[in-house]
């Protein structure tokens, strides 16, 4: 986007855009643009000549058709809460979907709802709730993350072990192709065996194939009761064993199972206001367990029975069951603020990795040894979705060092070593945060040539001019 021929096309492009979308749909105001060109962790700073703000699918279509006509690259953006430098523009036109925030349809009998891309996740959860249903996706940034961004990044979060990732929650999508054509794939069908499942191409594509403008999403029965427990364990191995028991004991009612390190808990208590340790203890790990049940009768006894048996078996040191919503909210607050607390502690090498659940303990032991050896002055903050085999294995830059220089310099060797270990364990170097610019070269190195060639072929087929979020993913 830096070459002068592109520069000369930008002004007429913006003029035609303004004609087509009206002044509300286009901004070149640096103040309005500013929050869109940095990521929330303050790691990446980009720029854009224009912020496009369509209010309808037709306006997205007009914008992309004009971008095609003028040969302009485009970066789509949702809530801008991503982790992998995928949605920050570097000279591309930025298209923000936030004004497209209508609820198009709620169909409780079909357990489905159709929302536009700019609907924020907490609003989506409320829409489902009002219809007497559950939309189960849940994650730390749910107050800002949008449906379009969550689809484009195939978001995960804290309920994946029961309900799956975004990929599993989408019945249909509507998308605008790079040339401006609209594809209406908003089918609310559980069964549709008519060839390639094209919607899946757009889920997790990070805007590299087109712009997702709306989606039909799955709804679930709303649990009548949730039981939450804060459990002290001595090792990730015990946590994994506890998960297997919890699933068997409750007949599959485990909807949350999150691992929290004592060090991370300490950071939350230090940096996040109004937090309190639910059960002070010296052990190195905590597990947050949530059960979701269709009837209140017997729910508490089920959790108590599970924990009593686990204490008896020596898997659990101590445990506290939330007595009310406030106590359960406190437990979840600690879990959900691990990431901001880590940010307050310092910049970190982020490793969003996964292994088969059966290998989590081995990964944690070997990974911890590796960090002690290669980054003895950094802090390891390993936490997260142990029930999915997905650990956020983050390592902060050593205190007192220029953090950015460390992350961009010798920290890279630490990342390589952790990723080598993950590869050896048959895991993934990006479990739920995606690829963006951050891991683009890394996946090209680690995936087989045949897999990369299939991905590139899809990209060429849908975006032959490489104008959609270029330089991300493939
Ligand atoms: C989380 O689960 O809290 C985030 O995905 C993790 C992170 O910030 O690394
Ligand atoms: Zn996570």
């Amino acid at each position: 986007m830096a070459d002068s021929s592109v520069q000369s096309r930008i002004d007429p492009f913006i003029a035609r855009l303004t004609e087509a979308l009206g002044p509300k749909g286009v901004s070149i105001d640096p103040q309005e643009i500013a929050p869109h060109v940095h990521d929330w962790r303050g790691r990446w700073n980009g720029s854009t000549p224009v912020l496009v703000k369509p209010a309808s699918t037709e306006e997205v279509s007009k914008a992309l058709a004009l971008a095609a006509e003028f040969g302009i690259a485009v970066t789509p953006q949702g809530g801008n809460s991503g982790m992998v430098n995928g949605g920050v523009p570097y000279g591309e036109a930025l298209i923000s979907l936030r004004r497209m925030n209508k609820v198009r349809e709620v169909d409780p009998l079909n357990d489905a709802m159709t929302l536009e891309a700019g609907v924020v996740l907490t609003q989506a959860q409320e829409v489902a709730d009002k219809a007497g249903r559950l939309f189960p996706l849940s994650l730390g940034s749910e107050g800002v993350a949008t449906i379009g961004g969550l689809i484009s990044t195939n978001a995960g979060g804290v309920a994946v072990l029961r309900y799956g990732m975004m990929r599993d929650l989408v019945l249909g999508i509507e998308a605008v192709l790079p040339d401006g054509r609209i594809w209406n794939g908003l089918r609310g069908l559980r069964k549709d065996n008519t060839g390639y499942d094209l919607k899946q191409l757009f889920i997790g594509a990070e805007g590299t194939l087109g712009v997702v403008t709306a989606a039909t999403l799955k709804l679930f029965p709303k649990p009548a009761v949730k039981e939450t427990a804060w459990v002290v364990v001595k090792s990730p191995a015990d946590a994994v064993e506890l998960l297997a028991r919890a699933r068997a004991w409750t007949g599959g009612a485990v909807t949350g199972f999150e691992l929290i390190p004592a060090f991370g808990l300490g950071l939350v208590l230090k940096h996040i206001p109004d937090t309190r340790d639910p059960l002070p203890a010296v052990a190195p790990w905590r597990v947050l367990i949530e059960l979701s049940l269709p009837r209140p009768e017997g729910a508490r006894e089920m959790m108590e029975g599970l924990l009593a048996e686990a204490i008896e078996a020596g898997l659990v040191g101590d445990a506290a069951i939330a007595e009310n919503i406030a106590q359960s909210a406190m437990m979840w607050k600690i879990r959900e603020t691990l990431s901001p607390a880590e940010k307050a502690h310092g910049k970190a090498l982020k490793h969003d990795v996964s292994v088969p659940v059966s290998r989590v303990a081995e990964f944690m032991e070997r990974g911890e040894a590796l960090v002690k050896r290669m980054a003895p002055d950094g802090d390891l903050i390993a936490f997260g979705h142990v029930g999915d085999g997905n650990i956020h294995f983050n390592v902060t830059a050593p205190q007192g060092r220029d953090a950015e220089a460390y992350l961009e310099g010798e920290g890279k060797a630490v990342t390589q070593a952790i990723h080598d270990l993950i590869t050896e364990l048959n895991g993934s170097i990006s479990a739920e945060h995606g690829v963006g610019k951050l891991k683009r070269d890394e996946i090209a190195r680690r995936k087989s040539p045949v897999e990369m060639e299939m991905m590139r072929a899809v990209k060429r087929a849908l975006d032959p001019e490489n104008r959609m979020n270029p330089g991300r993913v493939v």
Side-chain angles (χ1 to χ4, degrees), residues 40-41 83 139-140 157-158 258 335-340 342 350-352 383-385 390 392-394 432-433:
W40 69 275
R41 287 195 295 139
M83 303 275 206
L139 36 79
V158 295
E258 296 285 316
R335 164 61 189 90
E336 294 292 19
T337 53
L338 278 167
S339 203
E342 174 198 287
K350 297 280 217 182
H351 306 107
D352 165 39
F383 65 96
H385 323 292
N390 173 196
H392 299 301
F393 200 77
N394 302 339
E432 63 168 5
H433 292 169

Side-chain angles (χ1 to χ4, degrees), residues 394-406:
N394 302 339
V395 184
T396 60
Q399 298 286 323
R401 290 278 300 280
D402 176 341
E404 203 54 49
Y406 178 79

